Amino acid sequence: MSVEAVFPELAPYRARTTRLHPRPGRPGRHDSHVGGPMLWPDGEPWPLCHEPHRRETEGYAPQEIRSARAAGVRPPSRPWPRAGTPEGTPEGTPEEDVPVPFVGLAQFFRRDIPGLACGPGGADLVQLFRCPRTHGPYLERRYHLRWRQAGQTEDAERFLAVPPEVPMLRWEHELPEPCVLHPEEVDSYPWAEDDTLPASLIARIDAWDDAQVSEHGPDAPSYQYDLSIPPGWRVGGCPSWASTGPMAIGCASCATPMRLLLTAVGYEMDAGSHSWVPLEDRDPTLRGKASIRGGQSVAQPTRLRFGRDRDLHVFVCPAGPGHPPQWVLA
């Protein structure tokens, strides 16, 4: 179904997005990927989170997570060990204040991903990290972006073989599963709520949705979930606002409206996104979640989660690529 055939007024709001379609595999450091080895020059300091962390009582060892996944079982939880004191950290530093190495989640090259924005100085490789520990009473997370010039970085004499890793993770879903990508460009359209679109157009969309349900039942296609924004990891396009409602994201440095760089999610598809499921991954005779073929490797290939199964939107400033990004769970 062509959304512009139903709502021609949406044409000016069309925005291209690249679905990444991660699938478990063996990506290399010179590949775009989720969960694979980072292109990281040997000798360059790995990013550390220096903010205070919450004290934990139990968790999961990364290697036990990997072994359990290979065996198709759940990993065992363990009592949280006493933290050692990393080199350069004063003796007697409380465990909560010991710096923690970030976990590398993904890296994307512009040569692989259509529509990936340039970083500072025309940087064409972006790397995404997350602190594996939580912060504050609301279990807040900390993220980090590293922009690079791909050509200059690939000319390094040596690369980091094994990044630093914490001995324990609070949750199993802190450890990404290595995934190769299968980029696909599609059109996206704004989330239809508040003032993201003209009020008259939103009213027409709502009326169309109601008519579809009346005619076809609860599994009828809807604008919000079937026609506007695809699920899953993606670059560019329009942000989804299912949990929070639309938000205006302005640059903290210059107040310029920010642009969506990428979206990271836990699930590539669910019962509400039937129309976006690749044909080879669904049973055409079934609807909803029951139609998804391939199990977890298709529905949740990266094994990551963000918030309570929300979308993590990473926004950047188009006026100043070097300005700090904004991280929004929606």
Side-chain angles (χ1 to χ4, degrees):
M1 178 183 296
S2 169
V3 64
E4 289 185 27
V6 182
F7 304 105
E9 309 97 309
L10 284 172
Y13 300 95
R14 182 195 317 129
R16 294 291 276 178
T17 186
T18 301
R19 303 182 69 186
L20 300 180
H21 294 301
R23 293 290 185 272
R26 299 182 64 183
R29 65 170 57 93
H30 297 275
D31 299 324
S32 294
H33 59 67
V34 174
M38 293 291 192
L39 185 69
W40 197 271
D42 192 30
E44 180 179 321
W46 187 262
L48 301 176
C49 182
H50 293 273
E51 296 188 33
H53 302 94
R54 285 180 56 90
R55 183 182 293 273
E56 304 291 355
T57 58
E58 62 179 0
Y60 299 87
Q63 191 52 50
E64 290 186 334
I65 295 175
R66 296 184 181 101
S67 298
R69 288 177 181 175
V73 298
R74 291 290 304 275
S77 62
R78 305 290 186 192
W80 197 268
R82 294 193 61 173
T85 303
E87 184 178 351
T89 303
E91 290 293 336
T93 300
E95 178 185 342
E96 301 94 304
D97 296 333
V98 172
V100 172
F102 277 89
V103 175
L105 299 186
Q107 70 176 17
F108 306 129
F109 292 85
R110 290 193 72 223
R111 66 190 180 212
D112 299 329
I113 312 297
L116 181 64
C118 286
D124 55 354
L125 165 62
V126 64
Q127 298 170 319
L128 173 66
F129 300 82
R130 177 170 67 181
C131 176
R133 303 281 297 276
T134 56
H135 305 74
Y138 302 108
L139 307 182
E140 297 171 357
R141 309 311 304 272
R142 299 293 183 263
Y143 295 90
H144 175 70
L145 273 190
R146 178 65 58 92
W147 287 100
R148 296 184 181 278
Q149 302 283 352
Q152 294 178 8
T153 307
E154 289 178 314
D155 286 340
E157 292 185 3
R158 297 173 58 190
F159 298 98
L160 182 66
V162 180
E165 186 173 75
V166 292
M168 293 285 283
L169 299 169
R170 177 62 184 87
W171 292 287
E172 177 190 355
H173 60 254
E174 297 302 316
L175 186 69
E177 183 73 12
C179 288
V180 296
L181 307 182
H182 303 83
E184 174 198 20
E185 284 191 276
V186 299
D187 291 329
S188 65
Y189 299 88
W191 189 264
E193 188 178 351
D194 295 346
D195 58 355
T196 58
L197 292 168
S200 59
L201 179 53
I202 291 178
R204 286 189 57 216
I205 290 172
D206 290 343
W208 182 85
D209 283 347
D210 292 342
Q212 293 298 305
V213 172
S214 296
E215 183 175 352
H216 302 289
D219 289 331
S222 68
Y223 171 83
Q224 218 79 296
Y225 293 100
D226 294 281
L227 302 178
S228 61
I229 302 170
W233 283 72
R234 55 194 182 273
V235 163
C238 299
S240 55
W241 300 109
S243 299
T244 63
M247 302 168 62
I249 308 299
C251 176
S253 298
C254 67
T256 299
M258 302 188 87
R259 175 174 58 187
L260 181 64
L261 172 69
L262 64 93
T263 297
V265 301
Y267 287 88
E268 285 295 300
M269 54 196 74
D270 55 32
S273 57
H274 178 83
S275 64
W276 292 106
V277 178
L279 295 177
E280 62 270 26
D281 293 328
R282 70 184 185 192
D283 184 335
T285 65
L286 301 174
R287 293 288 296 176
K289 192 173 183 179
S291 72
I292 299 173
R293 293 170 168 167
Q296 191 168 31
S297 66
V298 168
Q300 195 187 13
T302 69
R303 301 294 187 100
L304 295 168
R305 288 177 60 188
F306 299 90
R308 295 183 177 179
D309 289 327
R310 296 185 177 184
D311 291 358
L312 172 69
H313 297 316
V314 185
F315 290 89
V316 293
C317 179
H323 293 169
Q326 295 223 29
W327 315 85
V328 179
L329 283 170

